[in-house]
Amino acid sequence: MFFLRQIFTAAAAAAFFSSAHSVEPADRQFESLAGLPAADRRALPAQTIEVEIDLAAGAGLGVEVTGERALARYRMAFNQVAEGWSWQPLADPAVDDYYRYKFLPLQSVTVERGEYVHEDKIGAPQQMKVIWRYDYFLAFDNLYDFYPRSIDDDAGFAADLPANAVGHLGMRAKLLLSEPVISESTTFWKATYGKPTDFTLKKRYFVGTLEEILFVDLESGAVLCVISPGHSGCRRR
C-alpha cells in the first residue's frame, strides 16, 4: 500500500508540474495542488512553478519611454501579505518589516452563486445576490534578495526594455514552493438593504521562495529580461 501511494504521489506531481511549464492560469495550478492530500503535498520535494503576474491588478507597473528604450518598473513597496502567518509583531521596523511575506497578484475569478429573497429592512423584502471571488497570489519572503531594503515607494523590479514591446508587455514569476505550499483565507460580508449581496472573498496563496521575475513579449513569447536574486539589473535569454 505504501509503495502504491508513492507511485500515485509521484504521478500526480509529475502531471501537475509538466503542465505548469505551459504557464497555466493560477486557478488551475492551485486546484491541482489543493487536490493532492495534505500528506502528499508535504512529501513533495521542492518544485518550481511559473505563473503570469496580473498587471491589471493595482498600479504596480509603471513604464517610462525614452527614445527606443523603455524603463519598466514594478513597484513592491506596499505588497505586504496581511495574514496572520505573515505578521511579525516583534519586528524592529528599522531593520525588518512587520509582514514577512510579500505578494504578487496573479488572477481574480468571480463566481455568481444565485440569489435568494431576504427582508433586511422591515417590510421591504428584496433579492440578495450571492457572489464569491477568488484572488490568487504568490507569497514569498525573500524580496530583499533581489534589491536592498529601503524606504522608497518606487522600490521594486526594474527592467530596461525595447520601447516597441511596451504595448504587449507581460510579466511572469518563478516560485520555489515550500511549506505549507498553498494557503487560503476567507472573508465574508453579509448582504444588507443598502448592499444586497452576500460577498465571499477567498485569498489563495502559493507559498515559497521567489526565484525569478521575467518580463516577456506577449505577442512573440520572447523573454526580454530575467531578474534573479543577487543581480541589480536584468539579464536576457
Side-chain angles (χ1 to χ4, degrees):
M1 179 65 71
F2 176 72
F3 177 68
L4 290 177
R5 178 167 180 156
Q6 282 188 314
I7 292 176
F8 168 79
T9 302
F16 168 72
F17 289 109
S18 63
S19 64
H21 289 304
S22 62
V23 194
E24 279 193 310
D27 60 339
R28 293 183 189 175
Q29 296 198 46
F30 190 96
E31 293 294 345
S32 295
L33 285 173
L36 294 174
D40 292 341
R41 282 202 304 272
R42 290 194 296 269
L44 286 174
Q47 298 283 353
T48 297
I49 63 169
E50 184 171 346
V51 286
E52 300 277 358
I53 298 172
D54 184 1
L55 299 182
L61 182 66
V63 180
E64 298 177 6
V65 177
T66 304
E68 297 183 354
R69 305 301 299 175
L71 177 62
R73 184 184 303 276
Y74 192 93
R75 295 170 175 83
M76 289 292 299
F78 303 104
N79 286 24
Q80 316 280 341
V81 176
E83 303 283 359
W85 45 266
S86 177
W87 175 241
Q88 303 182 117
L90 301 180
D92 179 354
V95 297
D96 206 354
D97 298 338
Y98 282 116
Y99 290 108
R100 172 183 172 186
Y101 285 86
K102 317 305 176 190
F103 74 82
L104 285 166
L106 306 178
Q107 187 182 6
S108 185
V109 178
T110 299
V111 179
E112 295 185 2
R113 298 198 167 203
E115 300 181 358
Y116 64 95
V117 176
H118 177 67
E119 187 175 311
D120 185 60
K121 182 179 179 181
I122 297 176
Q126 61 188 141
Q127 291 290 124
M128 302 295 191
K129 293 183 178 181
V130 179
I131 294 178
W132 286 34
R133 194 178 83 204
Y134 301 84
D135 289 347
Y136 295 85
F137 306 90
L138 285 191
F140 53 96
D141 62 355
N142 66 318
L143 177 63
Y144 303 126
D145 289 348
F146 288 80
Y147 59 84
R149 182 177 184 267
S150 64
I151 302 175
D152 182 359
D153 289 353
D154 286 334
F157 305 108
D160 176 32
L161 306 171
N164 58 14
V166 170
H168 36 89
L169 181 63
M171 289 179 64
R172 295 176 184 167
K174 290 186 178 181
L175 184 83
L176 182 67
L177 295 170
S178 62
E179 288 286 349
V181 179
I182 55 175
S183 182
E184 179 181 271
S185 67
T186 303
T187 306
F188 173 70
W189 290 266
K190 179 64 178 172
T192 64
Y193 178 79
K195 294 183 178 180
T197 300
D198 276 354
F199 184 73
T200 299
L201 173 63
K202 287 187 172 288
K203 292 186 176 181
R204 292 179 160 181
Y205 302 89
F206 299 91
V207 182
T209 301
L210 188 64
E211 290 191 317
E212 289 182 342
I213 291 291
L214 302 90
F215 288 82
V216 299
D217 185 321
L218 295 178
E219 287 189 349
S220 67
V223 176
L224 305 171
C225 168
V226 179
I227 301 176
S228 53
H231 294 81
S232 57
C234 66
R235 54 186 175 85
R236 291 168 180 79
R237 288 181 174 175

